[in-house]
Every structure is written in C-alpha cells, then in structure tokens.
C-alpha cells in the first residue's frame, strides 16, 4: 500500500493510543515525523545511480546530481566511462583510494577526479539520497519502500514519546497506560522509558547498535545527530 504522511500519522498513533490529537496535535506530530524520516534516511538511505555528462573538468559539484541532498548524500561508486548496457559494456569502477575523492568546501560537496574525464563522455555515479514521503516537506510522491515502513513507525513513536517527555517535564503521573511500568515519579520519566522501548524496536528493525557513547544518553543519540533543537519547536530544513 502506498504510504503517505497521513497513513504514517495513523500508524504512529496506533502504537501510542493515549497520545491523542488533543494533547499532541497533528502539526506537532508532523514535525516529529520529519525528524524520524531524516533519522531513517541517515541509517538506511536510498541508493541511486545517475549518469553525468562530463565537461572535461576534474572537479564536479555534487549538486549537479539531481537527487543529491547536502549533508546526507555520499558518493559510493564512480564508473567511467559509463557503460552502455545494451552493448554489453563492462563497468570499470574508479578506485576511490586513487582515482577519485569527495570533499566539502564552503558547505558544498565536490567530487575530485584524479584524471579529468573527456568532455562529452558520461560518468555513472552511485550515491545515497533521501527517501520521500507524500505530504511531508512538499513531496507528492512516496519513495519509502515497504520494508522501512515499520522502522519509520517505530522511530516516529520513539520521537513522539521523547517530545511528550519534554512537554510533560515536571508533571506527576502515577501511571501512563501503555508505558508497561508503574511510575510514581514524573510523567516525563515514563514517556522517556516508553520512548526507549520504541527506539529499541527501531534499532532492531534497521539493524543498528543501541550502544551509547561514553558520557552520552540514548535520548541524545536519537535526537541530536538529525535534529538540532527540541522536538517540540524546531524543524530542520535544507
């Protein structure tokens, strides 16, 4: 079934039935889903292959690649000359340790070729880019595959719980249904533990480690690399 922002909202709310639109409106959930999709894109990015016609320059701005996302995309392979599959051409990969490299200057990424390609000849770039979700960030088509739908749901649920924890800081709550614990301390703490539960399901789904660096917290690990503010107020844009 094709997914959209609307269907993913429904999926996350199904995991968190007590987080209603009254206490966490769709506008806030959309901010969380944006952060969650960026996290999925970081952990399981889309891989894309694109031909580029050389101008003869040894330096190529990565922005010339149609789906390049600055800060996320990485070049994985460079093939030159680009093969014509119908002719049965081989695909000679250039060696990244010798023939090409990727570097960033003034917040822009460039691909440096040790030997400038012949003008008019095609190169084939394999690189990572983002998955899109219809309805989010102005996208009208979904490219997110079915195999990552559960991952996005779990990540969205975790981030929603962390956002609710921020929102609930200082409030006392004997028990939050669905948290799978009785918490006679703060409502914030219960939401954080529930968030950790869904974060664990997310990491299992995408096959990444839940290990936290020394001095860090799981909460920081889940939020800071992709989201430079609080989940309640800040929306990252590129």
């Amino acid at each position: 079934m094709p997914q959209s922002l609307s269907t993913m909202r429904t999926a996350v709310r199904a995991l968190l039935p007590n987080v209603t639109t009254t206490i966490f409106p769709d506008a806030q959930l959309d901010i969380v889903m944006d952060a969650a999709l960026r996290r999925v894109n970081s952990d399981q990015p889309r891989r894309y292959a694109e031909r580029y016609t050389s101008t003869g320059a040894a330096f190529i701005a990565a922005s010339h690649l149609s789906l390049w996302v600055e800060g996320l995309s990485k070049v994985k392979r460079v093939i030159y000359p680009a093969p014509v599959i119908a002719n049965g051409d081989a695909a000679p990969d250039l060696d990244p340790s010798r023939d090409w490299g990727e570097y960033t200057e003034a917040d822009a990424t460039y691909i440096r070729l040790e030997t400038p390609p012949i003008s008019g000849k095609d190169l084939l770039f394999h690189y990572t880019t983002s998955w899109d979700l219809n309805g989010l960030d102005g996208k009208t088509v979904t490219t997110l595959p079915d195999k990552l739908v559960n991952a996005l749901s779990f990540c969205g649920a975790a981030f929603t719980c962390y956002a609710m924890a921020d929102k609930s800081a200082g409030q006392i709550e004997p028990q939050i249904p669905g948290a799978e614990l009785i918490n006679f301390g703060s409502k914030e703490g219960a939401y954080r533990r529930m968030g950790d539960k869904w974060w664990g399901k997310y990491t299992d789904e995408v096959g990444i480690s839940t290990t936290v660096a020394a001095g860090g917290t799981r909460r920081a690990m889940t939020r800071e690399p992709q989201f430079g503010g609080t989940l309640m107020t800040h929306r990252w844009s590129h």
Side-chain angles (χ1 to χ4, degrees), residues 77-79 92-101 112-114:
R77 296 174 64 192
V78 179
I79 300 172
D93 281 43
L94 299 185
D95 186 341
S97 67
R98 182 188 66 225
D99 301 326
W100 66 274
R112 176 192 55 77
L113 299 164
E114 189 65 28

Side-chain angles (χ1 to χ4, degrees), residues 43-109:
D43 293 329
Q44 294 285 336
R46 179 183 178 187
R47 291 178 178 265
Y48 191 73
E50 183 173 347
R51 298 175 82 93
Y52 171 81
T53 302
S54 170
T55 62
F59 296 87
I60 300 170
S63 59
H64 288 309
L65 300 174
S66 62
L67 298 184
W68 185 266
V69 178
E70 198 61 54
L72 169 70
S73 295
K74 297 288 183 185
V75 176
K76 295 299 184 180
R77 296 174 64 192
V78 179
I79 300 172
Y80 175 76
V84 178
I85 304 301
N87 295 342
D89 292 351
D93 281 43
L94 299 185
D95 186 341
S97 67
R98 182 188 66 225
D99 301 326
W100 66 274
E102 182 181 318
Y103 75 97
T104 301
E105 182 178 299
D107 297 325
T109 301

